[in-house]
Amino acid sequence: NNNSENGSRESLVTVFTGDSSNPMLNRATKKALALAGKEAKHVILGGTAAKLLKTSTHAPSISIFHFKTMLWDTCANEALLRAQGGKITDIFGSSLMYGPSSDLGNVLGVVASSAGAGKIHDELCRAMREDTDIIRNLLEKWTGNRHLIDTSNTAISETADIDFKVEAQAIDIARDLDGMPLTREWLEQHVLLSNKHLKYNSEGKLLRNYSVPESDAVRMLMSNGCRIMFDWNNSLLDGDEEKVLPRSAFYKRIVMSDLDHAWSKLRSTPHKLTRDVRSYQVECNFLTSAACQNFIEEAGIRVNRVYGSDLRPFPGEHPEDKIKSRFSMLLEDFSANDGWKQEWLFDKQTAKATLSMFARMHAYFWEGSNFWKKEEGRIGRELEDAVWPNGGYMQPKLQGEAQLEKVAFGWKNRLPSFETDLKGVLNLQNEDLATLGDRVEKIAKLVGDRAHPFAP
């Protein structure tokens, strides 16, 4: 799995396409040629296998396919292309999903690129996520279209100027685990079923449209996420029901095989990949547990509600198996519109409030508290079975003692990314930040032994 960009735009890029007259494909081709530069070469070539073969052996190059290819057209060829350092996605940048539940047709198109053309590939897919007409034509049956900005063109025209000023939609993230866009029916069903104040059986008619703004999307090392904005048909609800419907939700999606960092862990620290797969299960188990619901109601601390989840840890004990795992969660959204905000470096007041909340959480679940007596201990036993043995992500058995000898190296590599911010902290102004990693490494094993005395 090598999606790195090693090429240069100074190299002559070849764009392979078919001879389709589909206006969406023509717009995509025009954009690809613009991204590839003035010297780019456009070659019309028939056949999915022929284009994929040329792409894998002719670098740098990129191919754009029509909307009627099937998974059997791309499956084996994709493996060969990836082995050569290339990659393949749909037209919006989402990987093609192969499995018993996957739609056999590549209905959202296919884009393939060789080693050296990965950056052009990514920019093309990003441009397609910004194109109003293409999103409308391909995705309306899933998302609706009210989130799109109206243009003077009611249909795509081959000769129309491409306008990429519309905010992109993170439609590559808003997918189920079989690779298809989330449906309004699925979103509506899970939001309604999770809300005890709503008893309305809408039969898929309540959620008219949804939007996934790129500006609210995150693409992290080990997960991706996006904010989903809802357009509810409030005429079907009374006033009280309208008030409890959320304006948005947060969708978290993890397909391990899509993540470069997951592959890096598989090669360098495979035990951590096993831990990560387990951690996604633990997160969902806790958030959906009776213990968490009791904690929210009795301790008065807000925790994201889980509207729906799909957990597919791949069976097997070896890390090579775990890379095939997939997870998704639809979560209550703590959005800025509702007064929530995220901060990195806390001021004194915020730090105190945060520590107070953590103290209340620890006290609620502390050994001997009333929580462990609920329903004769049943809820407590369920919690213990669902989460980590020590209740935290940093599992001693899965961390590996050797990493304690890499603290200084890791600190040196990461310090430049946040050194300026740390120097702005009053209590750190006289601190020698450059040597902090070396000093921590000298005591890391001692502190680790004391923090986890039960670890082998």
Side-chain angles (χ1 to χ4, degrees), residues 44-227:
I44 295 177
L45 181 64
T48 301
K51 282 193 281 291
L52 285 171
L53 177 61
K54 281 290 188 181
T55 304
S56 63
T57 58
H58 190 99
S61 62
I62 188 167
S63 291
I64 301 171
F65 302 78
H66 59 70
F67 299 101
K68 295 183 180 180
T69 68
M70 308 298 286
L71 287 179
W72 56 75
D73 293 319
T74 54
C75 184
N77 290 299
E78 178 175 356
L80 295 173
L81 178 62
R82 286 186 175 277
Q84 296 295 320
K87 69 177 179 179
I88 188 168
T89 68
D90 67 24
I91 200 170
F92 298 114
S94 186
S95 62
L96 307 183
M97 307 297 285
Y98 303 96
S101 302
S102 300
D103 191 309
L104 295 177
N106 296 318
V107 295
L108 298 179
V110 176
V111 176
S113 61
S114 70
K119 188 172 183 179
I120 295 174
H121 186 137
D122 293 341
E123 290 181 356
L124 172 62
C125 293
R126 185 181 301 113
M128 296 302 98
R129 298 196 300 269
E130 293 176 344
D131 189 290
T132 302
D133 289 327
I134 288 179
I135 292 175
R136 178 186 292 115
N137 277 267
L138 290 181
L139 298 173
E140 183 175 356
K141 74 173 184 178
W142 289 286
T143 67
N145 66 0
R146 264 194 66 181
H147 62 283
L148 300 175
I149 299 175
D150 289 333
T151 64
S152 58
N153 298 317
T154 57
I156 293 180
S157 169
E158 287 185 37
T159 58
D161 290 335
I162 301 178
D163 183 4
F164 293 101
K165 296 180 181 179
V166 179
E167 182 181 13
Q169 295 289 302
I171 200 63
D172 57 320
I173 299 175
R175 305 289 181 96
D176 63 25
L177 295 184
D178 295 313
M180 298 305 292
L182 298 175
T183 67
R184 283 167 285 172
E185 292 76 15
W186 185 88
L187 291 168
E188 178 182 310
Q189 177 187 13
H190 284 82
V191 170
L192 295 183
L193 288 177
S194 66
N195 197 317
K196 60 184 178 182
H197 300 290
L198 286 170
K199 299 180 181 179
Y200 180 79
N201 182 11
S202 66
E203 298 180 349
K205 299 178 181 178
L206 187 57
L207 182 58
R208 293 183 294 198
N209 308 275
Y210 74 84
S211 177
V212 281
E214 179 67 40
S215 58
D216 289 332
V218 289
R219 292 174 172 82
M220 310 296 286
L221 290 177
M222 289 300 293
S223 65
N224 295 314
C226 60
R227 173 167 287 125

Side-chain angles (χ1 to χ4, degrees), residues 222 256 261-262 265-266 268-279 319 322 388 393-394 398-400 403 406:
M222 289 300 293
M256 301 294 282
H261 195 62
K265 283 189 175 183
L266 180 61
S268 60
T269 52
H271 60 282
K272 288 190 176 183
L273 189 66
T274 301
R275 175 204 62 187
D276 292 337
V277 169
R278 173 64 177 149
S279 74
K322 300 302 181 184
W388 294 111
Y393 175 73
M394 306 301 287
L398 296 177
Q399 291 301 115
Q403 70 177 4
K406 301 177 181 179

Side-chain angles (χ1 to χ4, degrees), residues 276-289:
D276 292 337
V277 169
R278 173 64 177 149
S279 74
Y280 296 127
Q281 296 174 271
V282 168
E283 178 184 8
C284 189
N285 288 343
F286 175 72
L287 292 175
T288 57
S289 68

Side-chain angles (χ1 to χ4, degrees), residues 236-251:
L236 299 177
L237 300 167
D238 61 35
D240 292 334
E241 289 176 323
E242 182 179 341
K243 292 178 183 178
V244 300
L245 277 173
R247 289 180 290 185
S248 60
F250 190 81
Y251 185 65

Side-chain angles (χ1 to χ4, degrees), residues 2 10-11 13 27 51 61 122 133 157 164 191 215 229-230 243 258 264 270 284 292-293 349 424:
N2 181 1
E10 295 178 359
S11 302
V13 178
R27 286 163 71 89
K51 282 193 281 291
S61 62
D122 293 341
D133 289 327
S157 169
F164 293 101
V191 170
S215 58
M229 307 299 297
F230 297 132
K243 292 178 183 178
D258 281 357
S264 176
C284 189
C292 184
Q293 298 309 309
Q349 182 179 359

Side-chain angles (χ1 to χ4, degrees), residues 277-388:
V277 169
R278 173 64 177 149
S279 74
Y280 296 127
Q281 296 174 271
V282 168
E283 178 184 8
C284 189
N285 288 343
F286 175 72
L287 292 175
T288 57
S289 68
C292 184
Q293 298 309 309
N294 278 271
F295 167 66
I296 294 171
E297 294 171 4
E298 297 177 8
I301 297 178
R302 290 289 300 277
V303 179
N304 301 71
R305 180 190 311 169
V306 178
Y307 295 130
S309 62
D310 187 0
L311 308 182
R312 302 186 193 178
F314 198 84
E317 298 299 322
H318 298 290
E320 291 82 359
D321 298 321
K322 300 302 181 184
I323 198 72
K324 303 171 188 175
S325 300
R326 308 173 188 178
F327 307 92
S328 67
M329 285 192 292
L330 184 66
L331 299 165
E332 178 184 7
D333 184 24
F334 289 174
S335 71
N337 290 331
D338 297 320
W340 295 92
K341 62 179 181 179
Q342 289 184 331
E343 296 182 8
W344 180 47
L345 295 175
F346 290 169
D347 58 26
K348 188 174 183 179
Q349 182 179 359
T350 305
K352 282 185 174 181
T354 302
L355 290 173
S356 175
M357 293 299 102
F358 278 128
R360 288 165 64 182
M361 182 175 185
H362 281 280
Y364 185 85
F365 292 111
W366 204 261
E367 185 177 1
S369 70
N370 289 332
F371 164 75
W372 299 100
K373 302 173 185 177
K374 289 182 177 294
E375 298 187 16
E376 299 180 345
R378 180 188 66 81
I379 296 179
R381 290 191 297 273
E382 287 182 354
L383 178 64
E384 288 182 314
D385 291 339
V387 301
W388 294 111

